[in-house]
Amino acid sequence: MTDIPAPSASDPLPQAKRDLVPVLLPLILALLMLPLVGSFSSWVTLTVASLAMGMMIFIMASGLTLVFGLMDVLNFGHGAFISVGAYVATLVLLPLAGMSSADSLLTNLAVLVPAALAAMAVSGALGLVVERVLILPVYGQHLKQILMTTGGLIVAEQALYALWGPQIIPLPLPTALRGSFIIGDIAIAKYRLLVLLVGIVVFVAIQLTLNRTKIGLLIRAGVENREMVEALGYHIKRLFLGVFMVGSALAGFGGIMWALYREQVHASMGNELTVLIFIVVIIGGLGSVGGCFIGALLVAMVANYGGFLVPKLALVSNILLMVAILMWRPRGLYAVTSR
Amino acid sequence: MMILSGDPPRSRVLALILIAIIAVLAITPFVFPGAKPLNVAAKICIFAALVASYDLLLGYTGTVSFAHTMFYGIGSYAMAIALYTMGPDWTAVVTGIVIGLPLAALLALGIGLFSLRVEAIFFAMITLAVASAFLVLASQLSWLTGGEDGRSFTLPELLQPGTVFIKDLFGVRVTGRTLTYYIILVGCAAMILGLLRVVNSPFGRVLQAVRENRFRAEALGYRTVFHLTYANVIAALVAACAGVLNAMWLRYAGPDTSLSFSIMLDILLMVVIGGMGTIYGAIIGATIFILAQNYLQALMGAASNAAADAGLPLLPGLLHPDRWLLWLGLLFVASVYFFPTGVVGRLRGAPKPAE
């Protein structure tokens, strides 16, 4: 009657089926755009620009999607961490402007790295406070979470205005990262390449942590069944607090990268980016890191190619992209199955 | 009780406060001469109606929408564009209403059917994205909307400030402006009473059932997506009407006065402070908020200057008049945490959980 052999303990777990269609989307989109853009050199420039922008958006959005996926908390105040990270970076970068305008990569990095670390530390610490004060009382209540974190966003933005003033703060790029590499007739901005590199490193690091380490195993298990992991004796709450702090720190890190990209800092930048980030995590499927990565790339590509081809349309292209993706997959590219 | 749809304030203090607010609003043109008090009163009326319509969504169905200003803006812009292009006559007013309201309803229907089947969090994010796209559209299509500058227009002659009906009534000139104010007051009162009717009807009960337990409401046989969509459409229509009145009062429609995200936050703050799920809360919330917005700032300016004179660090910045939203934000968080039922829920004494 049954030809199926009974599974034995030594058998490896069956591999989950990989869904590769979304992965191909950015690739196909980029290739489709090649004939539309016309010139190869501008296509390369646009593609690199999209990839760099996508990486920054991914870094900012990954924290949001991690936190939602793991803790079922949607932080509408996520944008505040971005602004805070950018502002903290100015504390390091502006007093040491001499070092960042020096013509040596090492001297530049000597300010840039501490600035990034400070941004991450402060926004991570702020994440700790926010989780304890705003989110702890409202776990499991979506409506109140949205209200609380929106309130937190208002307060954070106003506090930034109060502390730094309402003016836009210019934040010039360090000298060594200015300009571009010229290969033939193709120009690639140096800073975009650096951003691209950093983004890939962050993505790989998150994936490796989630999939190859014990902490990642516990996190994934906690998402699937929180009570079970707690019953096994692990402090899932402390783990999730850690995830929240990492998510906040990533947002702060994204904030400094974005501020340098735009070469300015403004208290409402987090607010403006919030919409973009939400679109990315919706497209990716709330809670999915891989989906978030692809979503960020798609949004950035549509923004860059769209801005080049049909500037007027580019302004609402994000929404059109989101609607199109949701028509195709109503729960985002990679629906997280546990909810 | 008929006019209150069988849902009286149920608290003596609340009833007294409401009567006081409405009485003051009704006599404002005669008691507080000058442009500013009248502006504040008109804004309170308009926002009370707008907030009440948002309460139908947030308080009664438990869905967080960030697209409410979009409908408000549609009403404002429809009125402004019609009067701007067709000139100041009543045909233009009617055209604005006839185009604006169905447009808002259709859009609400679309958004509702498209996204209300998803979770609350998803819906909030989608509406936020749609609203921001709409804001971008409104500021980019400058041939139609006037871009960032918006559209100024002239009202029909009957409503203009220059039209004098009575030279001296209790020492006040009754002009077209006064008439406009009373149109707004009556219109907003009618909308709030209408919303009170809606939430106390069987339909309103279903909405509450959906809020409390969507799954169970569905199991009882209610098609919750349709109920939520109807609620969304009603709320959008009322918001658009409030937008029409707002444009009539300002004789202007622009992104900052009718569409911006900060107005959305103001509405959220007013609903929560007033009390979710109690249409009356909208009146209280709007009154507190707009009085604070208009009069607290002067107070804060004085305090800020005093702190600066005293040489205190940081405090002048925190008390700067432009930072009043900081304190309201803190109040907002505190009220979500400590008084989830808002002022009205507090006064009524019967705590009704919001979720």
Side-chain angles (χ1 to χ4, degrees):
Chain A
M1 217 167 90
T2 72
D3 293 333
I4 305 162
S8 73
S10 60
D11 283 346
L13 286 170
Q15 281 288 315
K17 244 192 177 171
R18 279 179 195 249
D19 180 7
L20 284 177
V21 184
V23 180
L24 294 175
L25 269 186
L27 215 63
I28 296 170
L29 189 64
L31 289 179
L32 274 183
M33 286 302 148
L34 181 54
L36 283 178
V37 172
S39 109
F40 182 71
S41 62
S42 16
W43 180 78
V44 172
T45 309
L46 278 175
T47 308
V48 172
S50 323
L51 291 178
M53 186 178 162
M55 292 302 167
M56 282 187 284
I57 299 174
F58 164 71
I59 290 174
M60 291 185 267
S62 59
L64 188 68
T65 208
L66 267 179
V67 166
F68 181 82
L70 303 178
M71 299 149 74
D72 197 20
V73 166
L74 187 71
N75 183 6
F76 265 72
H78 196 70
F81 298 125
I82 298 173
S83 312
V84 167
Y87 270 96
V88 169
T90 64
L91 285 185
V92 180
L93 285 175
L94 291 183
L96 299 175
M99 279 171 82
S100 74
S101 63
D103 202 11
S104 139
L105 181 62
L106 275 181
T107 329
N108 288 169
L109 285 181
V111 243
L112 215 51
V113 172
L117 290 179
M120 288 175 79
V122 173
S123 50
L126 186 67
L128 176 78
V129 177
V130 167
E131 202 269 352
R132 290 286 107 171
V133 176
L134 289 183
I135 297 178
L136 195 63
V138 292
Y139 268 114
Q141 307 171 43
H142 280 165
L143 180 62
K144 280 197 181 172
Q145 279 169 11
I146 295 175
L147 295 177
M148 281 289 231
T149 51
T150 307
L153 178 68
I154 300 174
V155 173
E157 193 178 321
Q158 293 298 320
L160 286 177
Y161 275 126
L163 294 173
W164 268 272
Q167 70 280 14
I168 294 175
I169 301 172
L171 189 68
L173 257 181
T175 319
L177 297 176
R178 295 180 165 278
S180 23
F181 297 111
I182 313 275
I183 309 161
D185 58 349
I186 303 169
I188 299 172
K190 288 179 187 168
Y191 183 62
R192 286 181 181 161
L193 270 188
L194 176 77
V195 168
L196 193 59
L197 212 67
V198 172
I200 292 172
V201 169
V202 171
F203 176 64
V204 171
I206 294 178
Q207 288 292 23
L208 284 182
T209 315
L210 278 181
N211 294 320
R212 293 289 152 88
T213 63
K214 189 174 174 195
I215 288 183
L217 183 73
L218 282 177
I219 291 174
R220 282 182 298 138
V223 176
E224 290 298 326
N225 193 333
R226 189 180 176 136
E227 286 78 18
M228 186 62 80
V229 180
E230 265 171 353
L232 290 171
Y234 293 102
H235 270 291
I236 198 94
K237 277 186 185 155
R238 205 176 291 168
L239 197 64
F240 282 0
L241 175 60
V243 172
F244 195 90
M245 288 174 67
V246 170
S248 317
L250 280 173
F253 185 50
I256 166 174
M257 288 169 81
W258 188 265
L260 283 170
Y261 180 64
R262 286 286 151 112
E263 305 201 50
Q264 64 180 38
V265 178
H266 192 243
S268 60
M269 68 183 267
N271 211 337
E272 285 154 12
L273 284 166
T274 301
V275 174
L276 206 60
I277 288 172
F278 280 173
I279 292 176
V280 164
V281 297
I282 292 177
I283 289 178
L286 266 172
S288 152
V289 175
C292 174
F293 187 70
I294 296 171
L297 287 183
L298 285 177
V299 164
M301 282 177 156
V302 169
N304 274 297
Y305 293 128
F308 180 78
L309 295 170
V310 230
K312 280 274 175 196
L313 188 71
L315 295 161
V316 286
S317 59
N318 295 324
I319 305 293
L320 297 179
L321 177 71
M322 182 177 81
V323 171
I325 300 268
L326 288 182
M327 292 281 200
W328 175 44
R329 294 193 169 181
R331 314 201 59 187
L333 291 175
Y334 290 113
V336 176
T337 44
S338 66
R339 59 177 61 88
Chain B
M1 291 302 105
M2 264 300 281
I3 193 165
L4 296 180
S5 313
D7 182 20
R10 289 211 311 270
S11 149
R12 206 163 286 169
V13 184
L14 178 61
L16 280 177
I17 295 175
L18 286 172
I19 290 171
I21 291 175
I22 294 165
V24 170
L25 286 178
I27 56 171
T28 299
F30 296 101
V31 181
F32 305 106
K36 189 170 181 192
L38 202 60
N39 269 329
V40 172
K43 216 176 160 195
I44 289 177
C45 295
I46 292 166
F47 269 88
L50 181 63
V51 171
S53 70
Y54 191 64
D55 194 25
L56 176 68
L57 281 184
L58 183 67
Y60 280 86
T61 71
T63 44
V64 183
S65 160
F66 282 97
H68 211 59
T69 45
M70 181 168 83
F71 303 118
Y72 182 60
I74 288 176
S76 289
Y77 269 109
M79 192 69 167
I81 292 169
L83 277 162
Y84 178 80
T85 49
M86 297 170 64
D89 57 20
W90 291 100
T91 341
V93 174
V94 173
T95 314
I97 292 172
V98 167
I99 293 178
L101 298 192
L103 189 67
L106 269 180
L107 206 57
L109 191 70
I111 293 178
L113 287 179
F114 181 68
S115 50
L116 270 173
R117 53 190 77 237
V118 299
E119 263 185 279
I121 271 186
F122 240 102
F123 184 70
M125 292 162 79
I126 290 174
T127 50
L128 181 61
V130 171
S132 72
F134 192 82
L135 178 60
V136 169
L137 267 185
S139 55
Q140 289 300 311
L141 298 176
S142 40
W143 56 270
L144 182 68
T145 60
E148 293 292 336
D149 298 332
R151 279 273 181 256
S152 303
F153 57 89
T154 327
L155 282 171
E157 206 192 330
L158 194 61
L159 301 178
Q160 282 172 8
T163 317
V164 180
F165 298 115
I166 307 170
K167 274 251 169 68
D168 187 29
L169 182 69
F170 308 123
V172 178
R173 240 148 66 114
V174 179
T175 62
R177 194 85 175 139
T178 327
L179 178 65
T180 316
Y181 175 74
Y182 280 107
I183 290 178
I184 288 171
L185 180 66
V186 171
C188 291
M191 282 191 274
I192 292 173
L193 289 176
L195 283 169
L196 213 51
R197 179 69 260 168
V198 169
V199 299
N200 288 301
S201 66
F203 173 71
R205 292 284 175 271
V206 178
L207 294 185
Q208 277 163 294
V210 174
R211 174 190 75 191
E212 296 302 330
N213 192 330
R214 185 166 178 174
F215 183 71
R216 208 172 281 176
E218 197 120 15
L220 285 171
Y222 293 113
R223 305 181 71 179
T224 55
V225 171
F226 289 104
H227 281 90
L228 290 177
T229 307
Y230 293 147
N232 208 20
V233 170
I234 295 172
L237 276 177
V238 176
C241 288
V244 165
L245 294 177
N246 178 49
M248 272 172 71
W249 182 251
L250 297 175
R251 287 166 283 172
Y252 165 79
D256 288 337
T257 57
S258 56
L259 273 178
S260 72
F261 189 61
S262 63
I263 297 182
M264 193 61 242
L265 290 181
D266 295 353
I267 297 175
L268 252 178
L269 288 166
M270 289 184 224
V271 170
V272 171
I273 291 171
M276 286 183 281
T278 63
I279 295 295
Y280 293 112
I283 304 173
I284 307 255
T287 309
I288 294 177
F289 187 90
I290 288 165
L291 285 181
Q293 190 177 30
N294 284 284
Y295 295 104
L296 185 73
Q297 290 192 11
L299 212 67
M300 283 180 64
S304 169
N305 287 336
D309 290 341
L312 295 171
L314 212 58
L315 216 52
L318 290 175
L319 288 174
H320 190 274
D322 288 348
R323 296 288 83 76
W324 68 285
L325 202 56
L326 172 71
W327 300 101
L328 272 173
L330 287 173
L331 179 67
F332 176 78
V333 170
S335 66
V336 173
Y337 191 25
F338 296 109
F339 315 105
T341 53
V343 175
V344 169
R346 226 29 203 187
L347 288 175
R348 281 181 164 179
K352 219 191 276 174
E355 200 166 6

